[in-house]
Amino acid sequence: MAAFSRKCLLLQFVIEVRANTMAGRLYLIPTPVGNLEDITLRALRILKEVDLILCEDTRTSSVLLNHYEIRKPLLSHHKFNEHETSAGMAKRIEAGQSVALISDAGTPGISDPGFMLVRECVAQGIEVECLPGPTAFVPALIDSGLPCDRFLFEGFLPQKKGRQTRINALKDEPRTIIFYESPYRLVKALQQFVEAYGPERPVAVCREISKLHEQCVRGTLQEVLEHFQENEPKGEIVIVLGGAPGKNRKESEEE
C-alpha cells in the first residue's frame, strides 16, 4: 500500500512539473516540408500538450494533425494578420496559456510567419522555445554538391520592386547563396541570374524535397535554365547558387 502511495505521489509530481513547464510559453514547432514522418517525437508530444496551436492555414495543418490524431484548438496566424494578432497572442501566453506556432511546412520564422510573435514575446519577457527540425534549405544545400561550410540564405527575392537591385548586389558574393522561389518564377529567376552572374556559374535547383517526386537538377546556370525551359517546374523550389569565382577563402575571411 505504501509503495502504491509513493507511485501516486511521484505521478502527481511529474504531472505538476510538466504543467508548470508548459504554462505561459511559446513553442515554435518545425513541421515536415514533405514526408509526414519527418517530425520529431518531441514535436508531437508538445503539440498534444499545448493549449492552442497557431498555424498559417488550418486546412493544411489539419492534414498533419489529423494524421497523428492531435485534437487541439487552431487559430490562423499568417503574414496577413500577424501584425494585428501578435500582441494579443503574447498577452494570452503571459496569462498562462501554452501556445505552439507551426507553419504550413518547415520552421516558423524562416520565410514564414513567426518573427513578429517571437519579438513580441521576447519584449514581454515570455519564454520562447524553438525545436530543431525540418527546413527546406538545409537538405537542398547539402544535396547540391556546392560548398556548404559558409553560405548566405536569401530566402525569397522581391517579386517586383527591388528584385534586380538585390540580384545585382550579390554579384561578387563569394559564398554559396540560397534562394526560395515559386515554380512560376523559376525560369525568370534563372534568366536574371544568367544575365547578372554569367551562364557558367554552378547552380542546383532542388524541388519537392522529401516528397515522392523529389529532384535536384545540377549544372551551370545556362544548362539548368534550358532544362526548366523544356520541363515545366512544379512544387516547392530551392535554388542553390555557387559563389562568385576568383576570390579565395583567405581574402574573403580577411574582409
Side-chain angles (χ1 to χ4, degrees):
M1 188 69 177
F4 177 76
S5 297
R6 284 195 297 270
K7 288 182 179 179
C8 289
L9 288 173
L10 179 60
L11 179 60
Q12 181 180 357
F13 173 76
V14 170
I15 292 172
E16 289 176 353
V17 168
R18 175 156 292 179
N20 291 333
T21 301
M22 295 294 296
R25 181 173 298 197
L26 171 66
Y27 295 91
L28 287 87
I29 311 290
T31 53
V33 297
N35 194 312
L36 292 183
E37 294 179 358
D38 295 336
I39 190 167
T40 67
L41 295 175
R42 182 177 167 216
L44 292 174
R45 175 180 62 78
I46 291 176
L47 287 171
K48 292 177 180 178
E49 293 177 353
V50 293
D51 299 309
L52 175 68
I53 298 175
L54 302 179
C55 50
E56 282 188 87
D57 188 321
T58 56
R59 295 165 299 180
T60 300
S61 295
S62 291
V63 175
L64 173 70
L65 298 174
N66 289 337
H67 180 79
Y68 287 105
E69 299 182 349
I70 297 172
R71 307 283 187 261
K72 289 290 176 176
L74 303 179
L75 280 181
S76 294
H77 184 83
H78 45 70
K79 64 180 181 180
F80 301 109
N81 72 358
E82 61 178 335
H83 292 81
E84 293 78 22
T85 60
S86 292
M89 190 52 58
K91 289 182 179 179
R92 293 180 64 164
I93 299 171
E94 189 176 26
Q97 284 197 319
S98 58
V99 175
L101 173 63
I102 61 178
S103 63
D104 286 348
T107 300
I110 303 298
S111 294
D112 277 323
F115 164 70
M116 291 184 182
L117 179 56
V118 171
R119 181 178 62 181
E120 187 68 31
C121 288
V122 170
Q124 299 299 326
I126 296 168
E127 289 289 334
V128 177
E129 188 170 340
C130 182
L131 276 63
T135 189
F137 77 82
V138 173
L141 173 63
I142 304 302
D143 201 28
S144 71
L146 294 168
C148 56
D149 54 337
R150 299 177 69 238
F151 59 89
L152 176 65
F153 175 69
E154 279 291 310
F156 286 98
L157 287 166
Q159 292 186 29
K160 295 180 181 178
K161 185 177 180 180
R163 183 180 178 91
Q164 192 61 53
T165 300
R166 190 65 197 142
I167 290 173
N168 292 340
L170 296 168
K171 183 175 181 179
D172 296 322
E173 171 57 56
R175 296 168 292 180
T176 301
I177 312 170
I178 304 166
F179 303 92
Y180 286 162
E181 191 54 277
S182 160
Y184 308 109
R185 292 189 298 272
L186 175 62
V187 169
K188 175 185 176 181
L190 293 173
Q191 288 172 332
Q192 291 175 311
F193 292 168
V194 168
E195 294 169 1
Y197 311 136
E200 298 303 315
R201 184 79 71 92
V203 69
V205 172
C206 303
R207 64 180 197 88
E208 295 294 83
I209 292 171
S210 85
K211 297 179 183 177
L212 181 62
H213 300 293
E214 180 175 354
Q215 181 187 41
C216 185
V217 180
R218 308 174 185 86
T220 66
L221 275 170
Q222 186 63 42
E223 290 169 342
V224 175
L225 170 59
E226 291 174 359
H227 171 84
F228 285 107
Q229 284 175 328
E230 297 173 2
N231 301 274
E232 182 183 0
K234 297 179 180 179
E236 302 294 326
I237 303 289
V238 183
I239 304 172
V240 185
L241 180 69
K247 199 170 189 179
N248 63 42
R249 180 181 301 279
K250 185 175 180 181
E251 291 174 339
S252 177
E253 289 177 348
E254 286 176 350
E255 292 182 359

